[in-house]
Amino acid sequence: MDTPPLSEIASPEIASHRGGAFIWPENSLLAIREALKWSAEQVELDVHASADGEPVVMHDATLDRMTDGQGPVVAQSWEALAQLRIRGTGGETIPHLSHAARLIQEGGQVLRLEVKADAQGRPYPGLVARCAAVVDQHGMRARTVFMSFEAASVAEAAALGGFAQTVWLAGGWTLRGMRPRDTVAMCRSCGATELGVPEGLADATLRDALRAEGLRLSVWGANHAPTLHRALRLGVDVIATDAPPLAIRLRA
């Protein structure tokens, strides 16, 4: 299927992935503050649960790569985690979701929230509801896009209702062997309004199959000019990128 000229394609929204991980320390308040200075529409963050069930802004299930701590996030209480510092921030501590939501609310952008599973791929009990309660404290549920690789978590968020979108994330290991109509059926079954896939797996056939059913398509991993150009020309709904300034410039 031919792709139409860029002038005929609606501009996708841009999400600063992990706050803009190519430029600033990912999932840090520093990254959020810097991302909010740009004209991206969304700031994307990840959360895991602490031992006492609090939503901790962190991509990995373990602390070792990004902080001066060690071991699983879920092994420590929020009180203990709040003392750990994120590498490259000059001493900033790990954010609670409430800290991030407040900044994004004040900055006027959309919170794109990925709720993670634990290191064994199991959803954290109670984390979806806790995240909803936290964003509600800042009047942000209608400005929060809920995302998860776990269909059960997406279904829980859809049942709670009120989110701007609910997104089922599917990597190559999940999409292998699935036809576009299968992905549509999966989105329908878990209440997703949007499918998120790696940039290299998005194509016009998948886009059209989703849109025929009133569903959206988003991509992540478009971080350089060639992949950003491809995502822009494909006309996806959202591009989550580690390089938001470049994406904004190319979109313009």
Side-chain angles (χ1 to χ4, degrees):
M1 181 180 298
D2 293 335
T3 303
L6 282 174
S7 60
E8 298 178 9
I9 299 174
S11 294
E13 293 191 5
I14 291 171
S16 301
H17 187 243
R18 305 185 199 175
F22 273 9
I23 310 169
W24 308 293
E26 66 179 55
N27 282 317
S28 65
L29 294 181
L30 169 62
I32 296 170
R33 289 193 300 269
E34 292 298 322
L36 289 169
K37 295 176 182 178
W38 295 83
S39 58
E41 289 77 17
Q42 304 185 18
V43 178
E44 192 265 359
L45 302 171
D46 310 277
V47 294
H48 286 273
S50 65
D52 44 351
E54 294 299 316
V56 182
V57 180
M58 182 70 56
H59 176 270
D60 297 356
T62 55
L63 298 160
D64 305 65
R65 181 174 65 89
M66 287 303 300
T67 80
D68 57 356
Q70 294 182 320
V73 175
V74 74
Q76 299 194 39
S77 68
W78 167 245
E79 183 179 7
L81 292 167
Q83 308 306 311
L84 300 178
R85 295 168 294 183
I86 299 179
R87 303 182 194 279
T89 63
E92 286 191 2
T93 54
I94 298 174
H96 188 282
L97 176 59
S98 183
H99 304 149
R102 181 175 65 250
L103 275 181
I104 295 168
Q105 189 275 330
E106 292 170 351
Q109 294 192 17
V110 169
L111 169 59
R112 191 171 182 86
L113 178 64
E114 181 182 343
V115 172
K116 293 287 193 180
D118 67 16
Q120 286 72 47
R122 300 171 301 199
Y124 295 103
L127 183 57
V128 173
R130 181 67 182 125
C131 287
V134 169
V135 298
D136 283 349
Q137 291 169 5
H138 301 280
M140 282 288 289
R141 193 183 300 203
R143 275 173 48 200
T144 297
V145 173
F146 180 96
M147 305 188 299
S148 182
F149 283 95
E150 311 308 316
S153 295
V154 178
E156 186 176 352
L160 287 173
F163 291 101
Q165 305 289 338
T166 49
V167 185
W168 178 52
L169 299 171
W173 62 93
T174 301
L175 293 175
R176 190 177 298 114
M178 290 185 74
R179 300 160 296 183
R181 67 186 185 190
D182 298 327
T183 61
V184 168
M186 186 63 187
C187 288
R188 291 296 189 206
S189 70
C190 67
T193 60
E194 180 179 312
L195 174 70
V197 300
E199 179 276 329
L201 296 181
D203 59 28
T205 300
L206 179 59
R207 177 201 64 199
D208 293 347
L210 290 164
R211 289 198 177 152
E213 297 296 325
L215 302 172
R216 291 158 48 98
L217 175 63
S218 55
V219 298
W220 75 86
N223 297 324
H224 305 279
T227 52
L228 284 165
H229 275 304
R230 181 177 178 275
L232 288 164
R233 190 167 293 280
L234 184 59
V236 300
D237 294 286
V238 182
I239 299 172
T241 177
D242 293 329
L246 176 61
I248 291 163
R249 179 171 63 82
L250 294 179
R251 180 177 65 175

